[in-house]
């Protein structure tokens, strides 16, 4: 079946550097994409979302890029901080009215 | 800040026993969800609930699972006869609108079946 997946399972970055976390999706009907952050012992926390009619959306220190041509989603974190260390999941839903389908997750480790 | 709360944080049960996982969604939310995450794996959808009935469920949510909103605040997941493979983190989530967009997740209940 179609699924959402991630290119890299782990990512280590120096504090202050920018981080890029990637995600590939295979469901061409996907309309809505979300990035979640999951810290140890906690549930997924909403970071930022983007709809398929956009290719870029910016939040505070985070930017999500969507490339529908190659079905690729990325999360950019500017000036990565130790508090950014977590597992990051991309998730998609075909219509925004159906349950989320999560990718496997990328662990981001920030080196002080 | 409103949050979804789950109890207990950790539940250990013997195989074959029934367990009930509890959740208190955010008070003005209308849609409720259960997800699970087997250790080291992705978060998987189990079931969504709206207006006192199941609106969607996944293949994982078989006859051993049930959900209930027994009162105006709690939302429960029951597993009738637990199996070893039910061991996972179970997350409750709630949202204002359907589909889980901007769903708020609880901190999870770690279920260990021995």
């Amino acid at each position: 079946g179609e699924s959402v997946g991630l290119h890299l399972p782990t990512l280590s970055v120096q504090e202050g550097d920018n981080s890029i976390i990637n995600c590939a999706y295979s469901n061409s009907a996907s309309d809505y994409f979300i990035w979640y952050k999951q810290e140890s012992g906690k549930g997924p926390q909403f970071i930022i979302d983007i709809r398929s009619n956009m290719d870029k959306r910016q939040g505070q220190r985070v930017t999500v890029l969507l490339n529908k041509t190659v079905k690729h989603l990325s999360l950019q974190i500017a000036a990565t901080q130790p508090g950014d260390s977590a597992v990051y999941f991309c998730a998609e839903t075909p219509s925004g009215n159906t349950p989320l389908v999560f990718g496997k997750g990328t662990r981001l480790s920030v080196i002080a | 800040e409103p949050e979804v709360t789950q109890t207990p944080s950790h539940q250990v049960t013997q195989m074959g026993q029934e367990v009930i996982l509890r959740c208190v969604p955010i008070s003005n939310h209308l849609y409720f969800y259960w997800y699970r995450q087997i250790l080291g794996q992705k978060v998987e959808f189990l079931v969504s609930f709206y207006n006192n009935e199941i609106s969607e469920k996944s293949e994982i949510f078989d006859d051993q699972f049930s959900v209930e909103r027994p009162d105006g605040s709690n939302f429960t997941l029951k597993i009738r006869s637990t199996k070893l493979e039910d061991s996972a983190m179970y997350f409750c989530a709630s949202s204002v609108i359907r589909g889980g967009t901007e769903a708020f997740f609880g901190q999870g209940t770690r279920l260990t079946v021995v």
Side-chain angles (χ1 to χ4, degrees), chain A residues 10 19-20 32 39-40 49 58 64 78 89-90 94 103 105 110:
Chain A
T10 59
S19 303
I20 300 176
Y32 184 74
E39 296 174 279
S40 180
D49 58 0
Q58 287 185 293
V64 56
F89 294 92
C90 61
V110 181

Side-chain angles (χ1 to χ4, degrees), chain B residues 8-15 17-21 82 87-88 109-114:
Chain B
S9 57
H10 191 190
Q11 172 94 44
V12 180
T13 188
Q14 288 195 327
M15 189 170 52
Q17 295 295 305
E18 174 183 287
V19 295
I20 298 176
L21 309 183
T82 51
S87 296
T109 292
R110 180 173 296 284
L111 176 65
T112 302
V113 182
V114 295

